[in-house]
Amino acid sequence: MSTEDIKSGLIENRLFQPSAEFTAKARIKPDDLKALQKQADEDYEGFWAEQARKYMDWHKPFTQILDDSNAPHFKWFADGEMNVSYNCIDRHLASKADKTAIIFEGEPGDVHHISYQQLHDDVCQFANALKAKGVTKGDRVVIYMPMVPEAVIAMQACARIGAIHSVVFGGFSADSLRDRINDARAVMLITADGGNRGGKIVALKEAADKALDKGCDTIENVIVLKRSGQDVHMQEGRDSWWHDAVAGQNKSCTPEWMNSEHPLFLLYTSGSTGKPKGIQHASAGYLLNAIVTNLWVFDLQDDDIFWCTADVGWITGHTYVAYGPLAAGGTIIMFEGAPVIPDAGRFWKMVEQHKVTIFYTAPTAIRALMKYGDSFPNSYDLSSLRLLGTVGEPINPEAWMWYHTVIGKEICPIVDTWWQTETGANVLTPIPGVTATKPGSCTLPLPGMAVDIVNEDGESITEPNKGGYLVITKPWPSMARTIWGDDNRYVETYFPKFGGKYYLAGDSARRDEDGYFWIMGRIDDVLNVSGHRLGTMEIESALVAHEAVVEAAVVGRPHELKGEAVVAFVICHGDRPVGEAADKMVKELRNWVGEQIGAIAKPDDIRFADGLPKTRSGKIMRRLLRTIAAGEEITSDTSTLENPAVVAQLQGKA
Ligand code: 7RM
């Protein structure tokens, strides 16, 4: 598909400079960034090698840097040996044994601090428990847990002994869990009786039992953490409690020295076909980008309290909770619950209580909390905050400005970080003490990252504001190595064009006059209306720029004359408009979009609901919306929806 003339009707010109105070204390100042960029431009492999030596402890130093002999299955530092868990924990013990590594808060309000020494002991004990159950290097271990420290302990313990973990988000159904266990041929499942989420208990063990009953023949052992305390069924000979499994285990466990390229984890992510892909990451390269981005992008310093709100079931929870900040010696917050329990002030109350300095969340959460008004954030002391971040989707300028003024009090830089499960770590992002930001732009590539926007023929698009394919033109250490068990799918999905030379991100993007990147949407989210190509996200941005609208999703519906018709699903501030109010709002929004982008982009159909169907990680389920827009029967699994009730509203049935 050509993205050549994706219409771009929305140009945002506000520019926000980091304050002199922020820059003065930042790890990366303008000259540092220049030096890093210069070095990366001149000798890109040498640049990464230097970072790898500087920021990681090697058991056996590498002599090779990039190995492209089996491209696009690239290798980095391939003859080196190290251990990820050693680098996240042991590396800091001499200087930071008593420093808090994890501050945990459960949804019910229980708070627990874990020092680096304690984390070391817990990880070692659990690693020894895994070994006692026969788990060895290369075995796959599925982790299906609430957002509790034991989830990180389990991940780190796997890393310590070279087992490959696959974290399955606790909101996924039994069927999804079963498919992932079977695809990975996992030998062990680690779960909990239940977790607290949204004021309810998520019955994880019950779902796990359902999955296992439906045939997960490779699973030999199940370890169950007692968290919620409810009754669960324990199968003799297969299931054991976490506390029993670790009882009597040694608090030290020599790390298994792993080859740099040994798979650290699989993380399943949905593809366009529906069959989830097991994205496979390597050890050393992954950890390297995780460390440097925590230092450069989040400016993580010794006295910071870093709260990335992502669940460990997503890549963000791997790179900015479980691995990166620990490898950088930081203190993280882990929160088990939902942001609106007991009320929409929960995040802000926690920021005050734990004196959070760096806060990283998704636009969907920002918009949801913005909807509750300013009084919640205004009733807490947010003055500890010094840096904010967003990830997961483009942030609309209105939400950006709210985040900037109401949460950041106009003094915190905002890092809008573009990246993917497959990239392993941030790719396009501001450097907070250096880059001037524009609301809605993820700004510029990090040093060492070769990002471009190209046309159908793979030629760089230099004309400002012209859309094209977002590509990464050189390999980088934390890139995915393959799709588990399906090398061909990896090549076909990510290197299908341009002679297999460029990594195709699957997003469309444009660059403005300053070279800043603006993500326009997924390539498959491009509509063709009467021969005009329109990015769905552009129409969405136009809709949310209207004062009545909180959130919008736009999809296409087959149309006899136009090719595709534009269907918009819209969430308004306050009550959902119905009857005459709805008709009036439809007219108003159609005209508005007409003014903002052009008549061609006016939605043919606008539907209002209380929320959009989203995955638990906050991504709009576009495939489901397309089904609804086309008036077809829903056959896909909607069990993982955050808010199943809105589906009937969007169908016009409620
Ligand atoms: C980290 C994560 C990846 C997709 C990606 C984009 C979208 C992510 C941004 C963004 C605009 C951003 N991994 N995306 N970050 N779009 N601005 N800052 O989300 O694998 O789950 O999703 O998310 O479409 O391709 S992911």
Side-chain angles (χ1 to χ4, degrees):
M1 176 190 314
S2 164
T3 53
E4 273 268 293
D5 50 357
I6 294 176
K7 293 280 184 300
S8 186
L10 299 159
I11 308 290
E12 165 70 53
N13 286 321
R14 281 172 289 196
L15 195 66
F16 294 84
Q17 300 288 351
S19 70
E21 292 92 309
F22 188 96
T23 302
K25 292 188 192 136
R27 279 183 182 272
I28 304 288
K29 302 187 175 44
D31 286 345
D32 303 318
L33 183 59
K34 262 190 219 130
L36 287 170
Q37 249 147 6
K38 183 161 179 283
Q39 194 195 353
D41 291 346
E42 284 168 2
D43 173 14
Y44 137 92
E45 290 186 34
F47 167 80
W48 282 121
E50 186 179 320
Q51 311 309 322
R53 292 191 186 103
K54 180 169 174 187
Y55 292 117
M56 283 160 66
D57 279 355
W58 292 87
H59 178 68
K60 175 174 173 250
F62 59 89
T63 62
Q64 283 169 282
I65 308 173
L66 172 66
D67 174 356
D68 57 4
S69 58
N70 189 29
H73 302 280
F74 297 97
K75 293 180 179 169
W76 283 88
F77 320 120
D79 63 344
E81 282 178 13
M82 46 77 75
N83 180 281
V84 167
S85 151
Y86 181 91
N87 273 281
C88 292
I89 303 169
D90 308 44
R91 179 175 155 96
H92 312 304
L93 288 181
S95 60
K96 304 184 174 176
D98 295 330
K99 176 174 174 168
T100 301
I102 302 176
I103 301 173
F104 168 70
E105 182 164 323
E107 190 172 87
D110 46 322
V111 172
H112 181 45
H113 289 231
I114 300 172
S115 68
Y116 270 93
Q117 183 64 53
Q118 185 68 45
L119 182 63
H120 169 271
D121 296 355
D122 291 350
V123 167
C124 287
Q125 273 199 312
F126 195 68
N128 287 325
L130 292 177
K131 287 207 267 190
K133 300 220 178 277
V135 177
T136 56
K137 180 172 158 178
D139 282 347
R140 274 80 60 211
V141 172
V142 168
I143 298 174
Y144 184 60
M145 301 268 284
M147 189 60 181
V148 293
E150 286 81 357
V152 171
I153 290 166
M155 294 163 81
Q156 289 282 350
C158 286
R160 198 159 187 95
I161 65 170
I164 304 167
H165 63 67
S166 167
V167 183
V168 176
F169 173 59
F172 277 127
S173 65
D175 283 359
S176 310
L177 175 62
R178 180 204 53 204
D179 292 347
R180 286 159 171 77
I181 289 173
N182 287 337
D183 189 78
R185 304 189 57 75
V187 298
M188 175 177 280
L189 174 64
I190 303 168
T191 187
D193 48 359
N196 303 288
R197 177 89 197 171
K200 297 188 210 86
I201 286 180
V202 183
L204 293 166
K205 178 61 163 69
E206 198 182 299
D209 286 340
K210 253 192 232 161
L212 296 176
D213 287 347
K214 288 181 183 172
C216 290
D217 302 338
T218 52
I219 294 285
E220 292 161 13
N221 287 284
V222 179
I223 296 183
V224 186
L225 176 77
K226 203 185 250 311
R227 166 69 187 150
S228 58
Q230 87 239 55
D231 274 344
V232 293
H233 165 75
M234 297 290 279
Q235 184 173 310
E236 194 61 43
R238 185 195 66 187
D239 303 355
S240 46
W241 288 105
W242 178 295
H243 52 265
D244 292 333
V246 297
Q249 294 293 350
N250 204 310
K251 289 182 183 167
S252 73
C253 169
T254 309
E256 194 79 37
W257 299 113
M258 308 304 302
N259 180 274
S260 295
E261 281 295 308
H262 180 77
L264 178 63
F265 64 84
L266 311 179
L267 186 59
Y268 283 84
T269 176
S270 42
S272 50
T273 61
K275 183 186 185 289
K277 307 174 272 196
I279 301 298
Q280 180 182 320
H281 277 285
S283 297
Y286 168 78
L287 193 67
L288 177 59
N289 285 66
I291 297 171
V292 297
T293 54
N294 273 276
L295 298 175
W296 297 344
V297 179
F298 293 101
D299 192 40
L300 195 56
Q301 305 200 22
D302 203 37
D303 52 356
D304 275 316
I305 310 285
F306 181 23
W307 186 8
C308 163
T309 68
D311 190 281
V312 288
W314 312 112
I315 189 68
T316 310
H318 283 56
T319 310
Y320 300 100
V321 179
Y323 288 115
L326 298 179
T331 299
I332 59 165
I333 302 267
M334 285 184 78
F335 174 47
E336 180 190 31
V340 291
I341 303 294
D343 61 39
R346 184 62 180 268
F347 275 3
W348 319 128
K349 181 166 189 262
M350 285 180 61
V351 167
E352 174 181 289
Q353 186 182 342
H354 302 299
K355 303 203 164 37
V356 173
T357 58
I358 307 168
F359 183 74
Y360 187 31
T361 197
T364 180
I366 298 167
R367 283 194 297 268
L369 294 172
M370 181 173 92
K371 205 180 161 187
Y372 289 92
D374 300 357
S375 62
F376 283 105
N378 286 347
S379 19
Y380 296 99
D381 177 5
L382 305 182
S383 62
S384 56
L385 289 172
R386 66 181 194 91
L387 175 60
L388 303 174
T390 81
V391 61
E393 49 178 322
I395 181 164
N396 50 299
E398 189 196 358
W400 196 101
M401 287 306 299
W402 185 80
Y403 203 30
H404 171 72
T405 49
V406 180
I407 307 304
K409 312 294 179 201
E410 298 179 16
I411 56 164
C412 300
I414 296 179
V415 287
D416 177 347
T417 61
W418 178 91
W419 60 296
Q420 306 176 295
T421 305
E422 295 85 344
T423 69
N426 300 160
V427 175
L428 293 166
T429 171
I431 296 293
V434 181
T435 318
T437 54
K438 302 183 189 184
S441 170
C442 51
T443 73
L444 298 162
L446 283 169
M449 298 302 307
V451 188
D452 203 354
I453 297 172
V454 299
N455 66 17
E456 194 64 29
D457 301 320
E459 295 156 351
S460 186
I461 298 176
T462 47
E463 198 182 313
N465 298 316
K466 196 162 171 185
Y469 296 103
L470 186 67
V471 294
I472 307 179
T473 61
K474 285 181 189 162
W476 65 102
S478 66
M479 71 192 297
R481 296 306 192 255
T482 192
I483 293 173
W484 178 255
D486 202 344
D487 285 350
N488 285 338
R489 191 176 177 198
Y490 176 75
V491 179
E492 283 160 14
T493 308
Y494 301 112
F495 298 86
K497 290 167 175 278
F498 321 125
K501 271 176 27 205
Y502 296 167
Y503 168 83
L504 183 73
D507 284 356
S508 57
R510 65 179 164 91
R511 254 178 304 221
D512 68 16
E513 294 77 2
D514 299 323
Y516 276 36
F517 286 72
W518 298 76
I519 304 299
M520 299 167 75
R522 299 290 298 170
I523 293 172
D524 40 24
D525 290 336
V526 173
L527 302 183
N528 191 330
V529 182
S530 307
H532 298 264
R533 290 181 187 277
L534 301 165
T536 54
M537 280 191 192
E538 297 267 314
I539 308 177
E540 288 162 10
S541 306
L543 284 164
V544 294
H546 188 282
E547 57 179 18
V549 176
V550 178
E551 187 156 41
V554 167
V555 298
R557 171 176 69 208
H559 188 279
E560 248 179 80
L561 295 177
K562 302 204 263 186
E564 281 186 292
V566 180
V567 181
F569 299 94
V570 173
I571 316 307
C572 290
H573 285 283
D575 291 337
R576 173 166 70 112
V578 288
E580 260 178 51
D583 294 343
K584 202 168 149 243
M585 186 59 79
V586 166
K587 266 192 209 128
E588 166 129 14
L589 291 178
R590 278 177 48 82
N591 288 338
W592 172 261
V593 173
E595 280 164 29
Q596 298 267 307
I597 304 180
I600 189 72
K602 281 187 181 177
D604 296 85
D605 188 354
I606 297 183
R607 302 189 192 180
F608 300 103
D610 294 325
L612 292 171
K614 286 190 191 155
T615 64
R616 301 294 174 97
S617 72
K619 296 222 195 316
I620 297 167
M621 299 187 79
R622 290 174 186 281
R623 220 172 331 132
L624 179 64
L625 288 178
R626 278 193 283 269
T627 307
I628 295 172
E632 290 163 6
E633 200 186 321
I634 297 170
T635 53
S636 56
D637 179 12
T638 52
S639 67
T640 57
L641 283 180
E642 180 85 63
N643 44 359
V646 300
V647 172
Q649 292 177 356
L650 295 168
Q651 286 176 310
K653 292 182 185 165

